Amino acid sequence: MQLRGHRRRRAPLLVCGLLWLVPATARAHSFAPAVLDLRERDAGRFDVIWKMPGVESGGSTSSDDVPIPVLPVHCRLLAGDPAVRRGEEGPASWQVDCGPGALRGEQVSVRGLEGTRLDVIVRITWHDGSTASGVLRGGDAQFTVPAAGAGRAPGAGASTGGVLWSYGRLGVEHILLGPDHLLFVLGLLLLV
């Protein structure tokens, strides 16, 4: 009987000892999405800012391909360099002319998101102050810009419920699919 009680007391100590070794191998990551920001300066002329997260975010690609924003084919480059090179610091910026209202109803995408954990927040701000926004992911790397008069005010983004649902789903996936988060919760349970 005494031997069984001794083993029962040693088991939690052994588990705690093993868990103490785990943090040395587990790596936490921050949630830092890329941002594609389009700001209309004149009718149809946009300043484009493309900001990738740092390497520490855990969202970088494993290959040499760098995710690249893709605007509709009729958008003309006016100034700047849209080429993004691996290892560059800071955001890339350029200007395009898409014609008046030419982004509405069109698709904006990011090539090279497949197979990555990188999320991209797309924000479009028109000259009149109206906005549209969305989140792109590896499996859904296209954002359709709402057309004017599509049941909402011109340039309005997704509904509040739609935005809350998207961010809520993103948060749940981030927590449940991260082994570092699961190990943290397991550690809390063992303490209780």
Side-chain angles (χ1 to χ4, degrees):
M1 283 288 211
Q2 254 182 345
L3 185 60
R4 241 186 232 169
H6 182 65
R7 285 184 184 166
R8 285 185 186 166
R9 282 181 290 209
R10 263 190 359 191
L13 291 175
L14 181 62
V15 170
C16 286
L18 290 173
L19 286 176
W20 185 46
L21 296 174
V22 172
T25 59
R27 295 182 185 218
H29 61 278
S30 65
F31 172 67
V35 176
L36 177 59
D37 193 8
L38 292 97
R39 298 177 189 170
E40 188 176 39
R41 65 170 41 207
D42 295 317
R45 295 179 69 163
F46 291 86
D47 291 328
V48 181
I49 300 168
W50 172 240
K51 184 177 183 209
M52 289 284 294
V55 177
E56 70 281 353
S57 71
S60 62
T61 59
S62 57
S63 68
D64 289 335
D65 295 334
V66 176
I68 301 168
V70 178
L71 300 177
V73 293
H74 59 270
C75 292
R76 254 181 336 114
L77 179 65
L78 297 176
D81 184 10
V84 178
R85 292 164 190 84
R86 183 169 286 290
E88 280 187 354
E89 293 289 322
S93 62
W94 61 94
Q95 294 176 0
V96 294
D97 184 358
C98 297
L103 276 183
R104 297 190 191 274
E106 296 290 331
Q107 289 189 346
V108 174
S109 62
V110 175
R111 184 177 43 219
L113 283 183
E114 299 80 21
T116 68
R117 294 187 330 173
L118 183 65
D119 295 319
V120 178
I121 296 175
V122 178
R123 290 187 303 227
I124 302 173
T125 306
W126 279 273
H127 189 61
D128 66 0
S130 59
T131 62
S133 62
V135 177
L136 303 180
R137 309 177 128 148
D140 184 22
Q142 293 185 2
F143 171 66
T144 303
V145 180
R152 295 188 198 123
S159 68
T160 303
V163 170
L164 289 175
W165 174 256
S166 295
Y167 280 110
R169 187 179 68 189
L170 180 66
V172 169
E173 286 178 8
H174 179 77
I175 289 170
L176 291 181
L177 297 179
D180 52 332
H181 299 286
L182 295 175
L183 288 171
F184 177 75
V185 171
L186 178 65
L188 290 176
L189 288 174
L190 287 173
L191 286 174
V192 172

